[in-house]
Every structure is written in C-alpha cells, then in structure tokens.
Amino acid sequence: MSTTSKSALLGLCAILAWASPGVAQTDTVGAIKSRGDLICGTSTGGSPGLSTLDDKGAWAGLEVDYCRALAAAILGNPDRVKFAPLEFKNAFAALTSGSVDLLARTATWTFTRDVELRFDWPVVYLHDGQGFMVRKSLGVKAAKDLDGASICVTGGSTTELNLADFFRAHKLKYIPIVASGREQNIANLEANRCDAYSNERGGLAANRSALPKPDDYVILPDVVSKEPTGPVVRQDDARFRDIVAWTFYALVIAEEFGVTRANVIEQASGSDNPEVQRLLGKTGEFGSKLGLANDWAVKVISAAGNYGEIYNRNLGADSRIKLARGQNELWKNGGLIYAPPMR
C-alpha cells in the first residue's frame, strides 16, 4: 500500500470513527455520578419564571425545576445539582468546554447551533415567539408602529437576528440598543434608553410582572419568530441525550395520565394503567435500559411534579406571571407538548 493510500485509509477511518455512534462517546453520566452533582448552566438569575436567584441564594423557575428533575433521575436526589450562572455570550463555550453538563437557559434551537456548532436539543420544553414590550405612554399598538424607534435587545442572540430580519422585511428603520442580557435590557427600558425591548414573549411577560409599575408597559400582539427552547447538550454522548429527553417525557406522560407530585407514590403501587405502570417502574425494565434505577421516574415526579405542575407553578396560573399555556398545552388539548409512548 502506497503512502498516499495509507493516508487516505487513515483519513477514512478517522471520518468513520467521528461519524459512528458509540465511538469516542463522552461519559457525561459517569462524570456526574463521580462528582456527585449535575452542573446546569443557567441564566445569571434574572429570568423570572425560568431561572431566578433570590437574595438567600435559592434558585427557582421552570428551567431550574427541570435541572432538579434530571438530577433526581441520575443521582436519585434533586438537590444534587449545581447551577452555573452564565451570560448568554459565554453559555455555548461553557458547554463545549465541559464546564457544565447541559444548558437550561432559554437557548433557541436553530439550524446553525445544531448543525454547525454541533449542539443537540433533545426536547423542546417551551414553545415561544419573539415580541416587543413598550411603554404604554408611547401609544404604540403594533410592531410596525416602531419605525425609527430605539429597541433594546441582547447581543449575539437569535432575538437580535430576528429583529434585524423583521425590520428589513418591512422596510422599517430602528436603532438597536445592545445589552448583554435581560437585566441590562430591562434597566435600559426603565431608564428610557430605548423605546421598546424585544425578546421572547414569555420572557417579556415574566419581566413585566417583576417591574415596579407593570401597568406602565404593554406587550404588543405581534409574534415575529419561532422560539423553541429546551435543554442543550453536546452531540458526543447519546446516552446522556436519551436521559435528558426521557426525563422531560416522563414529566409529560405524568401529566397526560394524571400522575402528580402528590399522588405519584400511590400511583406507583396501585395504578392499573399499563403505561403508568411502565413509567413508574412497576412493570418492565425501562430505568435499567437508560442506566438508571427502575423507579427513576418516581423520583423525577416526586421532585418536581408533572409538566403541567411545573409550568403552572413558574409561569402559569399559580405564578405571578399567569402566562396562558397556549402552544405549551399537551397535544391532546391542542398544544405542542408531546411525548413518545413508554413501551
């Protein structure tokens, strides 16, 4: 075999090794169990309803609850999670470097992040769309009324790109006031440094609810983008990806069949529903197939409740935000939240 042929063969082997599932996979679960903690990359603590940090050091929010559920699945204890606050501009680099196990900080799933940057979104736990929040005193009724306005937006985000697309498509002008995150954007809006703040509508509703005078602001009815968000992982660990996905699916199946944080123990021993029995480990070996304890879903639901409970507690009717579920309803109620069968 010539030197050239040998080089070509070695190159082909390298490509096959890179492309083959199960080859050179990272053992994220092994690393988590070895250190005894799951490390979730979150916001810097200023995303009401999603990930907030209070003055006593307590985290709360939908994304925080998801991380606790995942820690319960892998480690059997929802408290074995460390939250790593990350500016958006640093979040993906932190995931690539391995300093966090996953991101749970409202990162939108896009083609470039998936295919070019090689990240995975195993599931979408929140379907949202980009909108605008303005001061009511401006009298603005629709996004097209913002021609020539100054608009606060987070730099390096999909919202910055969507904003440019929207104004270009409608031949309108605007002045971007670029900040590093939500807290700075809200501060700029309150200080009249911009006329409007553009972000996901759920995030805008959450931020508006936390303002000292929320009635001074309105969220315009326009939705200018799709914003599917969920946990983000590296593409080099199929096992961890499956656990991240099925932890969410367990929360969804639980809501679908009426399994709650309050009744999950009773359901685990007494339910006659075959899918609930499989979910909660009474029949089958679904936990062991994930490399987890067979009652992993019991621990997940005991820790966080089902998906509906998590949503309502942090964003919905039981929260101060009171954001309607809309697209985040279960599929059988007309929404987009769906889980494959547990069988």
Side-chain angles (χ1 to χ4, degrees):
M1 185 178 290
S2 68
T3 302
T4 301
S5 298
K6 288 180 179 177
S7 298
L9 179 59
L10 288 172
L12 176 60
C13 290
I15 292 170
L16 291 174
W18 175 83
S20 299
V23 176
Q25 293 276 295
T26 299
D27 183 10
T28 308
V29 175
I32 292 167
K33 289 184 175 180
S34 177
R35 86 168 78 93
D37 288 299
L38 171 76
I39 303 177
C40 266
T42 66
S43 76
T44 53
S47 295
L50 298 174
S51 55
T52 56
L53 179 64
D54 68 18
D55 55 7
K56 296 180 180 177
W59 286 90
L62 182 146
E63 293 181 313
V64 168
D65 282 347
Y66 173 77
C67 290
R68 289 186 172 130
L70 185 60
I74 297 172
L75 297 168
N77 186 342
D79 297 328
R80 299 308 307 179
V81 53
K82 291 182 177 177
F83 297 102
L86 298 168
E87 294 279 0
F88 188 83
K89 62 184 179 183
N90 301 322
F92 290 108
L95 181 59
T96 299
S97 72
S99 61
V100 298
D101 297 314
L102 77 160
L103 298 178
R105 54 136 22 261
T106 58
T108 301
W109 183 4
T110 69
F111 178 95
T112 300
R113 290 170 179 171
D114 184 336
V115 176
E116 185 175 344
L117 300 181
R118 299 176 62 78
F119 296 114
D120 264 347
W121 276 253
V123 294
V124 173
Y125 53 42
L126 199 63
H127 297 268
D128 206 343
Q130 186 171 338
F132 300 87
M133 180 162 64
V134 301
R135 284 187 298 281
K136 188 182 293 184
S137 60
L138 291 179
V140 173
K141 302 298 182 185
K144 291 182 180 178
D145 296 340
L146 291 170
D147 190 17
S150 56
I151 300 181
C152 286
V153 66
T154 298
S157 65
T158 54
T159 54
E160 184 182 28
L161 301 175
N162 296 333
L163 187 64
D165 286 350
F166 174 80
F167 277 80
R168 187 185 308 116
H170 292 87
K171 297 181 171 41
L172 303 174
K173 295 181 179 179
Y174 73 104
I175 302 169
I177 307 297
V178 179
S180 61
R182 291 187 184 203
E183 298 94 329
Q184 191 177 351
N185 280 312
I186 287 295
N188 286 341
L189 182 66
E190 286 188 282
N192 291 330
R193 299 188 186 101
C194 55
D195 298 314
Y197 170 33
S198 187
N199 201 351
E200 289 89 354
R201 286 169 55 83
L204 293 177
N207 285 128
R208 178 178 176 273
S209 72
L211 290 170
K213 296 181 179 179
D215 291 341
D216 287 355
Y217 299 86
V218 295
I219 297 173
L220 301 181
D222 310 76
V223 180
V224 301
S225 73
K226 294 177 291 185
E227 300 293 334
T229 61
V232 191
V233 299
R234 295 178 291 274
Q235 291 185 348
D236 59 359
D237 192 339
R239 179 191 176 201
F240 184 56
R241 184 189 190 284
D242 281 347
I243 293 172
V244 168
W246 279 97
T247 296
F248 175 73
Y249 293 145
L251 299 170
V252 174
I253 294 170
E255 182 183 10
E256 190 175 341
F257 289 98
V259 180
T260 67
R261 184 187 241 174
N263 70 18
V264 62
I265 300 300
E266 177 186 349
Q267 292 278 330
S269 60
S271 176
D272 294 327
N273 184 298
E275 183 140 355
V276 172
Q277 291 179 348
R278 290 190 289 270
L279 172 68
L280 302 181
K282 187 174 182 180
T283 60
E285 297 292 334
F286 294 91
S288 62
K289 291 172 183 174
L290 285 169
L292 304 175
N294 222 35
D295 65 345
W296 66 282
V298 175
K299 293 173 180 172
V300 164
I301 299 160
S302 296
N306 63 41
Y307 177 80
E309 290 178 286
I310 293 172
Y311 186 95
N312 287 332
R313 181 168 65 242
N314 294 296
L315 292 170
D318 299 334
S319 74
R320 69 181 182 186
I321 300 169
K322 302 194 182 308
L323 186 67
R325 283 187 66 170
Q327 294 177 321
N328 297 297
E329 274 283 6
L330 291 180
W331 62 276
K332 65 180 184 180
N333 297 330
L336 298 176
I337 298 298
Y338 187 94
M342 175 70 80
R343 67 166 59 253

